[in-house]
Amino acid sequence: MRLDAAFGLVTDLRLCLVAGFWPTILAIWHVPSLLFQPLEISRIFMSSVWDLYGNGVDQAGKGVKKGLVTPHAYGVVLDLGAGHGHTVNYLDHSRVTKYVAVEPNVHMHAALRRTASAAGYSEDAGTLLILPCGAENISTILSYLPAPHPPVDTLISVLTICSIPSPQSTISALVTEVLKPGGQLLFYEHVLSERKDIMWWQRFWTPLWSILFDGCRLDRPSHRWIEDVGGWVQGEGGIWGKEGETEEHLFWHRVGRFVKA
């Protein structure tokens, strides 16, 4: 791997540190007990970074999401790691009855709610549900959704599996317990490269990157874990790459759609 590509994320690290440092320091200044809450500090930092860069990340994947989400998402949609709710802008309102946003970082909920409201989804109308838990909290997710179970028609993961705890068991449980038979899983994720030289650099950077960005890892073959769950309708959907993206990239993306048998 070329050194300029291997060290390309140094600029990202610097910009994100600048964006998140002072808001995080001010939060600790006002609430010193945060020093004993490293997870909360991480989420404050990540929320500040996302305030500045979330829209840019969304725009970078706009073409992918238009082709993946808009024509396929329907019924009750569960969005994992919803962030500021950018995914809602790609939903076809005539085909989606409810948008359920799973977002454990409560500092992002206000922006998420505004985005969803602007797209025509609201809690008052019963078309929006924001859950302050992680994707791994299966029982909590199910407790908010009415029977019969499984309750979800479309499960969406956009740049989320990189950071969820116990990803393989979580993906399996979501598909088994949350997604209806005939329902679909749509994903757009940065994943572990298939090139060994790039894998090495992804694993090199992951410890630092995951500390700064709320557990985000560069070294997860998330697309393979989804495929390996099994029980998918054969010949329906599959996995593909991001158009125009070079292999020489620490953030190598895979896109996919699977339908549960």
Side-chain angles (χ1 to χ4, degrees):
M1 187 177 194
R2 300 190 325 270
L3 285 180
D4 62 330
F7 284 88
L9 54 59
V10 171
T11 299
D12 295 331
L13 285 168
R14 181 177 60 82
L15 291 173
C16 291
L17 281 169
V18 170
F21 180 77
W22 284 115
T24 305
I25 291 298
L26 287 172
I28 295 171
W29 177 267
H30 290 297
V31 185
S33 61
L34 285 171
L35 288 170
F36 303 101
Q37 303 174 60
L39 179 59
E40 184 64 12
I41 289 175
S42 176
R43 288 178 173 172
I44 291 170
F45 177 86
M46 191 64 194
S47 176
S48 300
V49 169
W50 210 239
D51 283 342
L52 285 179
Y53 296 110
N55 288 339
V57 172
D58 173 56
Q59 286 297 310
K62 186 174 182 178
V64 171
K65 287 181 275 189
K66 274 189 171 182
L68 176 69
V69 175
T70 307
H72 296 298
Y74 71 94
V76 176
V77 172
L78 187 85
D79 186 12
L80 303 175
H84 286 176
H86 290 105
T87 297
V88 79
N89 293 318
Y90 300 93
L91 300 178
D92 180 344
H93 208 305
S94 67
R95 301 180 69 231
V96 173
T97 56
K98 189 164 192 166
Y99 175 62
V100 182
V102 174
E103 178 48 66
N105 191 334
V106 297
H107 303 286
M108 295 192 182
H109 284 190
L112 199 170
R113 189 171 283 109
R114 287 194 298 271
T115 305
S117 177
Y121 298 86
S122 71
E123 288 149 317
D124 289 343
T127 55
L128 170 66
L129 179 61
I130 298 175
L131 303 184
C133 64
E136 71 279 8
N137 300 122
I138 306 297
S139 59
T140 302
I141 292 171
L142 288 173
S143 71
Y144 279 95
L145 296 171
H149 291 165
V152 169
D153 299 292
T154 306
L155 189 60
I156 298 178
S157 180
V158 174
L159 307 179
T160 295
I161 296 174
C162 57
S163 60
I164 63 176
S166 306
Q168 288 169 279
S169 59
T170 296
I171 294 166
S172 180
L174 284 165
V175 172
T176 302
E177 301 177 43
V178 179
L179 188 63
K180 290 179 182 178
Q184 58 189 335
L185 193 162
L186 312 176
F187 69 88
Y188 166 53
E189 298 284 346
H190 64 78
V191 302
L192 183 67
S193 176
E194 294 175 355
R195 280 178 44 177
K196 290 185 178 179
D197 57 332
I198 298 175
M199 284 183 190
W200 191 94
W201 283 105
Q202 288 176 313
R203 288 167 174 152
F204 173 83
W205 286 114
T206 284
L208 175 60
W209 190 266
S210 63
I211 289 171
L212 290 174
F213 298 106
D214 206 13
C216 174
R217 301 185 63 90
L218 310 181
D219 60 353
R220 289 184 171 178
S222 304
H223 58 312
R224 296 304 175 201
W225 292 341
I226 292 170
E227 187 176 35
D228 289 346
V229 168
W232 303 117
V233 174
Q234 295 300 309
E236 185 80 34
I239 299 171
W240 59 94
K242 182 179 179 182
E243 187 176 353
E245 182 174 76
T246 174
E247 279 188 348
E248 196 90 355
H249 208 298
L250 290 171
F251 294 93
W252 188 60
H253 295 88
R254 296 287 92 178
V255 187
R257 173 177 175 261
F258 286 97
V259 178
K260 183 177 175 179

